[in-house]
Amino acid sequence: MEKILLRLVYLFRPLISGRGIDFEKMLVIVDTKLKMDQRRVYMNWRQGKRKENSNHLMIALFFYGFMGFVMGSIIYLIDNFLTIMIFTHAYILFMMAMILITDFSSVLLDTTDNQVILPRPVSSKTLFMARLIHILIYLFQFTMAIAAGSVLFTFLKYGMITGIAFVFTTVLTVLLAVFLTYFLYLAILHISNEQRIREIITYFQIFMMVFFTIGLQVLPRLLNVIDVRQVVDLKGYMYALPPVWMALTVDAFRLMQFDSVHIVMMVLSFLIPGSGFWILFKYLAPGFAKRITALQGTSNKTIGEEKNFGKIERGSLSDRIAEIACNTPAEKGSFGFTWKVTGRDRNFRMQFYPGLAYILIFFFIFVIRGGKSIAENWQQLPETNNYLWLIYLSMLSVSSSLTIVAYNDSYAASWIYHSTPVKKPGEIILGMIKSLFIKYFIPVYIVLFLIALNIWGIKVADDFVFGFFSNMLCFLVLAVLSDHYLPFSRQPDTKQQAGRFFVIMIQFLLVGALVGLHYVLISRPLLLYAVIPLLILGIVIILRTLRALPWSKIAI
Amino acid sequence: MSVITIDRLCKIYDANYVLKYISLSFEAGQIIGYIGPNGAGKSTTIKILTGIIGDFEGDVTVLGMDVRKDSLAIKQKIGYIPENAALYDVLTPVEYLDFVGRLYGMEKQIIHKKSTELLHLFDLGSKMDQRMSGFSKGMRQKVLLISGLMHNPEIIFLDEPLSGLDANAVILVKEILAQLKKAGKTIFYSSHIMDVVEKLSDRIVIINKGEVIADGTFESLQQQASSGSLENIFTTLTGNQEHESTAGAFISVINN
């Protein structure tokens, strides 16, 4: 693959060489960068096993290619040309922008280049050309993966001319995506700093993962609901959307019809990406490079310091909650520590937040299930008891924080637990569990409660009160029966200990029993309130057990 | 013949002088220790001398060439080993060295021969084909040292070259520097580790707040500051003599 691409670059040799560009050195840089691209761990593919030798790039490309093929097949299956074209262009634009923001950002924002290549005898023009070609190859690979399926089916169904027009609009759409991404970065860089940009990228990445998880689960279900065959009727504002320009441009060539609307759309679809690119090269790119270079070293030290000073004065939110929720200093310390690190550690957020998306997915699968249409189900919803799912859905995804919290890249720093005179590590575990419960469970539960209140009315309140204690007990059952790791003390990627099947079964049975109990008692307030004291008793017992955990029970 | 001349060099960042009218010149075949507190302008000076930063005031020539005009030709003849271990760590040492070597225009076979031999000498032979992402700081530093020396440069610029190296590697690198000097190379060396600078350097330059505050052999600096070790000279000259009272305050806070 690499070799083919490089040979392709060779074809352009006469165009590139000369004018201060050393072609051989440029090729060496491009070659190395392509090699590194393959080894980079693609952000969206984190969950899977990481193998050093696997080619991450190929896996990502293959996945996008497969999705592109499925999308493309719609072109073949459905006859409404304009709708499908708008849809396809929107898909290409969205995917390309997302890939650029989430994956390519690490390449764009990488300042290692400056330190590795600048001290070597390479002219700045050579380096610039190498970067440009690297970006073009990157775009080429992903454009192929995303759009090849659509292009193929367009050629098959609508013939040469439409197909060629579609290839052109695809390229234009990609250019537009590049321009928009660049512009987004520049805007963020303008108002803030590198730290912030990385933050924002993290959220885009989380969004992307949520999008894929939901998309893969929910889209097939939605497909039979939304009638794709119906004709989009273009209203005024729709003419402002780039996919509509592109679609109408291709449409003009398909029908060979060049009326005023088609002409205007064609002009727009060439002019906007074209002039956007011109602006990019002429004005934005030089400033961008300078800003990126300036980012190095002198980051946001001053801003960070100021922020922290204010916090100490006021006492942060977590500290104030810790005062109420925890007893001993060690517990309070662990509570605040867990609260802060989970909020700041990128890996924790990357692993935890997408899990919350499952609430939404399960909402679709369980709450609004059934073979009938969604609208019909939705109307019947108030007559069902499906809010029981809502009560326990939050547990389902929030409980993952219990395992994730053990891992951290700076796991080695956990020596601090061992070098300080911690008599009862149970206090640390307890502080951590309380922190996770209050920070992640309660807000989610309140949101779900409000949703349920909206659909079913006030009668669910009793069940949610019961559910709160029941969930808390479930959470504690999971915590007390799992291996006890101190917060952020494990090396990422270490394997789960084997032989835990039995424990997992017990956890499953206990949680199942609690949900079952709730199912039996559902909507019987008197009985529900009668059982709550029993739940509280269970909670107190487990809290005591956890607090008393000795060192011998702590897993390392 | 002087291999490096710096004439009234100024560098301004955000309206602050990082370097203020520095004028220095260095002879070939010397080891120059360049020291100063954090933020004194050490790294900036090295980046200007190596042609990485081209935006400054004053005149700087290296090996008789103007760093602004002939930065490529200069880069070809010097080696630079940066301090913060920046390298492409998804590559293996062999791949990385191949990449860098080819940027110096070296032939693939020669690079391969040299880099494998040098890696073996640095005890990295067994790790040659592993990716560097798992490497310790010291191991990365060794790869960086090789990448800056492989093309046999005339002048070698080192920014904190010993950080992260274990005691044996430190001795080895010191010996390598001494032998490079014997071979007529010039070594420009910035460090915080005073006793190494003291023992190794033919000439010591101390800068503080962008200005040269001392320049000469260790012996002449000793006379200038009328005190014993380089550490003492350093604190005397950089005007940072409150260490004792700061330490006292520190102790009293702990005792509270």
Side-chain angles (χ1 to χ4, degrees):
Chain A
M1 183 80 177
E2 246 178 289
K3 295 266 147 56
I4 303 168
L5 289 167
L6 283 180
R7 207 153 294 157
L8 218 64
V9 176
Y10 245 99
L11 290 179
F12 294 98
R13 179 167 189 163
L15 262 170
I16 299 167
S17 310
R19 282 164 299 157
I21 294 168
D22 185 327
F23 190 79
E24 293 299 326
K25 283 180 183 172
M26 190 210 75
L27 218 53
V28 169
I29 297 173
V30 174
D31 187 17
T32 308
K33 281 181 176 282
L34 290 178
K35 201 184 280 167
M36 291 195 294
D37 273 350
Q38 290 176 0
R39 295 183 187 177
R40 225 151 29 85
V41 175
Y42 281 76
M43 296 302 181
N44 302 327
W45 315 97
R46 257 251 153 102
Q47 323 97 306
K49 274 178 240 149
R50 280 192 242 169
K51 259 196 189 162
E52 192 165 81
N53 294 320
S54 62
N55 186 335
H56 298 288
L57 182 70
M58 284 311 283
I59 297 168
L61 285 175
F62 183 78
F63 179 79
Y64 288 122
F66 180 72
M67 278 180 70
F69 193 79
V70 173
M71 288 290 168
S73 65
I74 297 176
I75 295 180
Y76 201 77
L77 294 174
I78 291 168
D79 284 326
N80 188 335
F81 183 75
L82 201 54
T83 314
I84 290 304
M85 272 294 132
I86 294 173
F87 180 67
T88 308
H89 281 103
Y91 174 72
I92 295 171
L93 184 65
F94 175 78
M95 290 303 287
M96 206 64 217
M98 277 298 156
I99 292 167
L100 283 173
I101 291 171
T102 55
D103 280 333
F104 204 56
S105 58
S106 51
V107 176
L108 264 181
L109 297 175
D110 192 6
T111 49
T112 319
D113 261 9
N114 290 335
Q115 292 171 60
V116 176
I117 299 178
L118 278 185
R120 321 293 174 195
V122 178
S123 71
S124 55
K125 274 182 186 159
T126 309
L127 183 58
F128 175 78
M129 192 44 88
R131 275 186 181 148
L132 187 68
I133 286 177
H134 175 225
I135 291 175
L136 287 178
I137 288 177
Y138 182 92
L139 289 175
F140 176 73
Q141 287 174 321
F142 277 92
T143 309
M144 287 296 282
I146 294 170
S150 304
V151 168
L152 178 74
F153 284 109
T154 310
F155 268 107
L156 279 180
K157 189 165 181 182
Y158 297 99
M160 276 296 267
I161 297 175
T162 317
I164 291 169
F166 181 58
V167 170
F168 270 101
T169 53
T170 301
V171 172
L172 289 169
T173 307
V174 170
L175 287 186
L176 196 69
V178 173
F179 174 67
L180 290 176
T181 314
Y182 230 82
F183 201 73
L184 175 79
Y185 277 150
L186 207 72
I188 301 170
L189 278 176
H190 194 74
I191 51 174
S192 77
N193 48 34
E194 192 190 17
Q195 198 61 37
R196 184 66 53 79
I197 223 174
R198 290 192 196 280
E199 283 290 272
I200 291 172
I201 289 166
T202 307
Y203 284 109
F204 267 107
Q205 280 161 353
I206 292 168
F207 172 75
M208 189 81 165
M209 284 177 78
V210 171
F211 175 81
F212 279 126
T213 359
I214 295 181
L216 290 175
Q217 302 280 342
V218 176
L219 264 185
R221 282 159 208 279
L222 281 181
L223 267 184
N224 48 14
V225 179
I226 300 166
D227 193 359
V228 221
R229 276 149 300 186
Q230 74 184 207
V231 180
V232 190
D233 79 290
L234 291 166
K235 298 192 186 74
Y237 71 91
M238 293 184 103
Y239 288 103
L241 302 172
V244 176
W245 314 336
M246 304 294 173
L248 279 167
T249 305
V250 185
D251 195 45
F253 284 98
R254 184 179 69 106
L255 301 172
M256 280 300 159
Q257 181 187 329
F258 299 95
D259 52 31
S260 57
V261 175
H262 280 104
I263 297 277
V264 170
M265 292 294 114
M266 272 167 71
V267 171
L268 275 178
S269 50
F270 277 95
L271 206 64
I272 302 293
S275 55
F277 233 67
W278 184 74
I279 294 171
L280 187 74
F281 261 98
K282 191 100 181 162
Y283 300 104
L284 301 183
F288 189 75
K290 222 176 248 174
R291 258 176 207 284
I292 293 288
T293 324
L295 285 175
Q296 242 184 300
T298 50
S299 257
N300 58 331
K301 269 183 198 154
T302 45
I303 301 169
E305 276 165 18
E306 276 167 26
K307 244 195 210 159
N308 282 342
F309 270 124
K311 273 222 175 120
I312 292 160
E313 298 274 323
R314 278 190 289 114
S316 61
L317 178 68
S318 58
D319 292 343
R320 276 177 285 164
I321 297 176
E323 284 303 318
I324 304 165
C326 303
N327 300 319
T328 64
E331 201 185 318
K332 284 175 197 168
S334 160
F335 183 96
F337 172 62
T338 308
W339 187 289
K340 284 168 190 153
V341 178
T342 51
R344 292 175 198 176
D345 181 42
R346 204 173 149 275
N347 287 335
F348 181 85
R349 288 180 296 171
M350 287 289 292
Q351 287 179 55
F352 176 68
Y353 287 120
L356 291 181
Y358 278 102
I359 296 179
L360 216 62
I361 293 163
F362 280 113
F363 185 79
F364 273 100
I365 295 176
F366 292 120
V367 184
I368 317 177
R369 70 201 147 156
K372 287 164 279 181
S373 76
I374 286 185
E376 218 172 300
N377 271 332
W378 184 262
Q379 271 173 357
Q380 286 171 359
L381 213 47
E383 290 144 38
T384 64
N385 278 339
N386 282 354
Y387 56 85
L388 194 63
W389 284 108
L390 280 190
I391 293 178
Y392 292 96
L393 271 182
S394 39
M395 172 53 44
L396 219 60
S397 43
V398 171
S399 60
S400 69
S401 67
L402 268 177
T403 38
I404 302 170
V405 77
Y407 298 94
N408 193 277
D409 281 337
S410 15
Y411 62 95
S414 63
W415 58 268
I416 200 79
Y417 300 124
H418 304 282
S419 74
T420 45
V422 178
K423 208 166 157 196
K424 282 191 248 161
E427 291 178 355
I428 292 171
I429 301 265
L430 195 58
M432 168 189 96
I433 289 167
K434 284 180 178 174
S435 189
L436 293 175
F437 185 78
I438 294 173
K439 189 177 180 190
Y440 292 115
F441 176 76
I442 290 181
V444 172
Y445 196 66
I446 289 172
V447 170
L448 291 175
F449 173 59
L450 292 177
I451 293 170
L453 207 58
N454 223 347
I455 300 175
W456 284 277
I458 192 73
K459 67 165 181 173
V460 299
D462 298 321
D463 285 293
F464 269 83
V465 172
F466 181 86
F468 181 78
F469 291 104
S470 166
N471 266 311
M472 195 193 282
L473 189 56
C474 289
F475 194 67
L476 289 171
V477 164
L478 292 178
V480 80
L481 289 179
S482 308
D483 290 335
H484 304 292
Y485 291 103
L486 293 166
F488 314 114
S489 63
R490 294 194 81 195
Q491 185 173 7
D493 300 333
T494 40
K495 284 207 187 86
Q496 205 71 38
Q497 275 162 5
R500 303 235 321 109
F501 181 71
F502 186 61
V503 179
I504 291 171
M505 281 309 289
I506 292 180
Q507 288 177 332
F508 198 72
L509 282 176
L510 281 171
V511 172
L514 278 167
V515 180
L517 179 67
H518 196 164
Y519 186 72
V520 173
L521 301 176
I522 200 159
S523 302
R524 298 196 184 104
L526 275 176
L527 283 174
L528 285 174
Y529 285 110
V531 179
I532 287 177
L534 286 176
L535 297 179
I536 293 177
L537 183 69
I539 291 167
V540 171
I541 292 172
I542 296 183
L543 285 178
R544 290 235 171 114
T545 320
L546 282 171
R547 185 189 301 283
L549 277 179
W551 274 109
S552 57
K553 291 276 172 62
I554 302 294
I556 295 169
Chain B
M1 181 203 135
S2 54
V3 286
I4 302 172
T5 59
I6 305 173
D7 189 25
R8 283 164 295 156
L9 169 65
C10 285
K11 173 71 193 168
I12 302 166
Y13 257 132
D14 291 338
N16 290 320
Y17 276 92
V18 183
L19 296 174
K20 277 183 244 172
Y21 300 99
I22 289 194
S23 295
L24 291 163
S25 78
F26 302 104
E27 304 301 311
Q30 282 195 325
I31 296 185
I32 301 134
Y34 196 63
I35 59 178
N38 282 339
K42 297 188 301 280
S43 290
T44 308
T45 317
I46 292 188
K47 280 182 180 161
I48 289 170
L49 289 176
T50 50
I52 296 172
I53 300 178
D55 169 30
F56 57 86
E57 287 160 40
D59 294 310
V60 178
T61 63
V62 173
L63 296 166
M65 294 177 278
D66 186 330
V67 289
R68 267 188 285 237
K69 279 187 217 135
D70 301 314
S71 69
L72 283 191
I74 292 172
K75 284 175 185 176
Q76 186 70 49
K77 289 189 173 170
I78 61 171
Y80 169 60
I81 293 122
E83 70 182 318
N84 37 8
L87 38 68
Y88 295 133
D89 59 8
V90 294
L91 300 178
T92 68
V94 171
E95 287 169 336
Y96 181 77
L97 292 174
D98 178 62
F99 170 59
V100 173
R102 297 224 263 163
L103 293 184
Y104 282 114
M106 295 165 70
E107 291 299 324
K108 202 171 172 64
Q109 292 80 0
I110 296 173
I111 300 171
H112 190 75
K113 189 168 174 290
K114 278 193 175 182
S115 59
T116 45
E117 281 172 23
L118 291 171
L119 284 167
H120 276 292
L121 289 174
F122 263 152
D123 281 334
L124 285 176
S126 59
K127 299 238 173 0
M128 227 160 52
D129 293 312
Q130 284 174 24
R131 292 189 195 175
M132 293 187 283
S133 43
F135 276 26
S136 70
K137 204 173 172 234
M139 284 148 76
R140 286 162 187 248
Q141 194 65 31
K142 287 177 181 175
V143 177
L144 279 175
L145 277 165
I146 297 173
S147 81
L149 294 171
M150 200 172 39
H151 61 294
N152 194 20
E154 289 300 308
I155 312 176
I156 299 127
F157 292 91
L158 305 115
D159 212 344
E160 291 292 348
L162 303 178
S163 63
L165 294 181
D166 62 38
N168 278 321
V170 168
I171 297 167
L172 176 60
V173 171
K174 284 196 318 201
E175 191 54 38
I176 289 172
L177 294 181
Q179 296 204 12
L180 282 168
K181 177 193 151 186
K182 262 190 210 149
K185 312 276 185 197
T186 313
I187 291 150
F188 194 96
Y189 170 165
S190 104
S191 180
H192 289 295
I193 311 169
M194 302 287 175
D195 48 342
V196 176
V197 179
E198 182 182 319
K199 290 197 187 93
L200 216 55
S201 309
D202 300 306
R203 182 171 161 192
I204 296 168
V205 177
I206 304 179
I207 67 164
N208 189 25
K209 292 175 185 151
E211 287 172 298
V212 176
I213 54 171
D215 179 6
T217 59
F218 176 56
E219 288 73 26
S220 71
L221 292 191
Q222 256 179 329
Q223 283 169 2
Q224 212 178 320
S226 64
S227 53
S229 69
L230 184 57
E231 212 164 78
N232 292 338
I233 300 170
F234 184 77
T235 46
T236 318
L237 293 175
T238 53
N240 220 340
Q241 284 159 309
E242 296 114 39
H243 296 313
E244 205 180 309
S245 61
T246 310
F250 191 92
I251 301 300
S252 73
V253 172
I254 294 174
N255 286 337
N256 279 336

